[in-house]
Structure formats: structure tokens, C-alpha cells
């Protein structure tokens, strides 16, 4: 079992959010998972220009590191998203990456995976950012098992207090991959999302034959 964390702090290895995400991964590793982390700020990610070329075949015209990151996401059984709070939102690095996932969202390419999110802040916005990160995971088709948002009040060492809770979240993620995780509210959200994106898949069925066939196979298009 593979669990991949992706975080959007530009502070990379000095990041408090990375530390929190790493605690989640350590809990998952103790429960038997192979884990890895991606520091988005170390990668070349060109912003989406809405050229819509990806509609044709799912391939972006930009030659950068996003396809490799998406491949690693596809290989993972579970995903952990993390971001510090910047002006009560995710970081620009994280948002530019998310915009590049629009095609993966439309075709629900991460359906069947589990996930969770973490955020750190000085004071404000961590609960909202965790909710947003989990919302994006749901958009991707991922079922979330929880999240942790913390306010350090400027004392980044405070993150250490959350190690037990973060490790428990990592174990919960592993349990979800092994045994499944039932959440009727999220199931309804994911089903609503598929009903919404179905139109895109049907309109482009002659361009995106493999994707269309997968939707039929999954019973999402009858
Ligand atoms: C550009 C910028 C914007 C920030 N915006 C907020 C904010 O809106 N509210 C807040 O309480 N803290 C804010 N912070 C503080 C960070 O959220 C906080 O230090 C966080 O733990 C940093 O995480 P990191 O070490 O993973 O980068 C901001 C920091 C920066 C650099």
C-alpha cells in the first residue's frame, strides 16, 4: 500500500505543515504503508492558461513536472494534502497545482482512493483550509477520512503536540484502504459530482474513448 502526501508550503523541508503531514505518514508507515512526500515548491508547475487543449486527450500543452506528480498520485492508494494558511486560503503553489488537476477532476481519475488533509496557520483559517483541501479531494473522487488544522500562534514547535492525532489519522487512512470507509454524506457528494461531470464525459466520448469506457464500466454512465 502506498500513501502520498503533497504539500504546498514554499518553506519545503523547514515547513511546519510538512512536519504535520509527515506525522500522518509516520502513522501510516507504522500501520504498514509505504509513504512518500512531495514538496510542490521544488517542482516546475506552469499555471493553467485555460487553452482547453487537455480536453482532446487529457494531456497538457505545458512541458513541466505535473504529469510526473499525477503519475505518482495514480500509483498511490491514498493521498494526503497539506497547505499552510496564506491570507485565509491555501498557498499559491497549491492552487496553481490544483488548477492543473481540472481534467483529472472532470474524468474522476482518482476515484477509489482515500485521503485526508492537514493545514497550519499562525491564527486564522486552518479549519477552512482543511475543509477546502478535503473538498478538492472529493472533487477528484477521493473519500476523505478526516483532517487536522492547527494554529501555532507563531510557535511552530506547537506542531509537536499534534503528533499523536496526526499519527492516528495516518493509521485511519491505512485502515480505510484495507477495509473501506463508509460515509453516506460523502458518497452522496461524490455521486452528485459524477452526475455533474457526466455531461463532459458524454460530450467528449469520441475524443476520450478510454475515459468514456471506464465511466460505462464503473456504471456511472448507463
Ligand atoms: C504570505 C503569508 C500569508 C499568511 N497568511 C496567514 C493568515 O491569513 N492567517 C494566519 O493566521 N497566518 C498566516 N500566515 C502564517 C502561516 O500560515 C503559518 O506561519 C504557517 O504555519 C506556515 O506554515 P509552513 O511552515 O508550512 O509554511 C501567513 C504566512 C505567510 C508567509
Amino acid at each position: 500500500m502506498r500513501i502520498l502526501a503533497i504539500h504546498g508550503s514554499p518553506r519545503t523541508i523547514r515547513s511546519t505543515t510538512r512536519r504535520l503531514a509527515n506525522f500522518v505518514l509516520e502513522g501510516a508507515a507504522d500501520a504498514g504503508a509505504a509513504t512518500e512526500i512531495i514538496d510542490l515548491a521544488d517542482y516546475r508547475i506552469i499555471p493553467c492558461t485555460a487553452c482547453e487543449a487537455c480536453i482532446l486527450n487529457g494531456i497538457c500543452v505545458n512541458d513541466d513536472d505535473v504529469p510526473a506528480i499525477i503519475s505518482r498520485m495514480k500509483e498511490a492508494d491514498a493521498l494526503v494534502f497539506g497547505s499552510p494558511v496564506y491570507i485565509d486560503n491555501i498557498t499559491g503553489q497549491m492552487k496553481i497545482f490544483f488548477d492543473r488537476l481540472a481534467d483529472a477532476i472532470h474524468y474522476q481519475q482518482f476515484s477509489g482512493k482515500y485521503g485526508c488533509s492537514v493545514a497550519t496557520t499562525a491564527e486564522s483559517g486552518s479549519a477552512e483550509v482543511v475543509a477546502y483541501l478535503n473538498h478538492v479531494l472529493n472533487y477528484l473522487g477521493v473519500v476523505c477520512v478526516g483532517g487536522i488544522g492547527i494554529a501555532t500562534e507563531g510557535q511552530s514547535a506547537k506542531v509537536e503536540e499534534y503528533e499523536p492525532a496526526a499519527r492516528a489519522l495516518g493509521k485511519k487512512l491505512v485502515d480505510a484502504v484495507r477495509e473501506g470507509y463508509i460515509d453516506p454524506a460523502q458518497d452522496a457528494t461524490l455521486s452528485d459530482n459524477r452526475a455533474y461531470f457526466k455531461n463532459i464525459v458524454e460530450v467528449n466520448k469520441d475524443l476520450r474513448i478510454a475515459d468514456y469506457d471506464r465511466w460505462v464500466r464503473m456504471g456511472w454512465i448507463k
Side-chain angles (χ1 to χ4, degrees):
M1 181 194 310
R2 299 173 75 156
I3 301 199
L4 171 66
I6 300 176
H7 81 91
S9 170
R11 300 179 71 228
T12 61
I13 58 169
R14 293 179 301 122
S15 157
T16 310
T17 312
R18 184 190 211 274
R19 181 123 183 95
L20 188 58
N22 245 327
F23 288 145
V24 175
L25 293 183
E26 284 169 15
D30 284 351
T35 65
E36 58 177 334
I37 191 160
I38 288 179
D39 301 284
L40 277 184
D42 284 343
Y43 289 79
R44 190 158 173 270
I45 301 176
I46 298 170
C48 175
T49 55
C51 72
E52 299 191 339
C54 62
I55 289 173
L56 297 175
N57 55 10
I59 298 171
C60 181
V61 294
N62 291 307
D63 180 15
D64 63 7
D65 294 328
V66 173
I69 296 172
I70 289 177
S71 292
R72 285 164 75 181
M73 290 169 71
K74 284 185 176 164
E75 286 164 9
D77 300 287
L79 300 169
V80 181
F81 280 173
S83 180
V85 174
Y86 275 16
I87 322 298
D88 287 338
N89 215 310
I90 58 173
T91 61
Q93 286 84 351
M94 201 81 196
K95 185 62 169 63
I96 285 171
F97 173 63
F98 282 167
D99 291 350
R100 292 287 302 279
L101 297 179
D103 189 80
I105 288 171
H106 290 157
Y107 290 90
Q108 293 289 282
Q109 289 180 348
F110 296 95
S111 180
K113 300 186 192 299
Y114 295 90
C116 67
S117 297
V118 297
T120 74
T121 182
E123 303 281 349
S124 63
S126 66
E128 291 83 352
V129 163
V130 167
Y132 178 69
L133 294 171
N134 277 344
H135 172 72
V136 174
L137 283 166
N138 279 170
Y139 255 160
L140 288 162
V142 174
V143 174
C144 297
V145 303
I148 299 178
I150 72 171
T152 63
E153 294 161 343
Q155 308 297 314
S156 58
K158 206 170 166 191
V159 70
E160 309 300 323
E161 294 169 23
Y162 292 84
E163 178 175 352
R167 281 176 166 269
L169 185 58
K171 182 181 183 312
K172 194 172 175 189
L173 205 47
V174 170
D175 290 345
V177 174
R178 286 205 179 110
E179 298 152 23
Y181 181 81
I182 308 292
D183 180 347
Q186 279 189 81
D187 287 348
T189 299
L190 266 52
S191 173
D192 287 350
N193 290 345
R194 288 193 297 268
Y196 183 76
F197 296 130
K198 184 176 153 197
N199 185 43
I200 294 173
V201 180
E202 284 182 325
V203 165
N204 295 307
K205 69 183 223 181
D206 295 331
L207 293 170
R208 306 288 292 268
I209 296 163
D211 284 303
Y212 181 82
D213 287 350
R214 183 170 53 86
W215 274 61
V216 171
R217 235 178 14 254
M218 296 298 288
W220 300 338
I221 289 177
K222 305 245 188 308

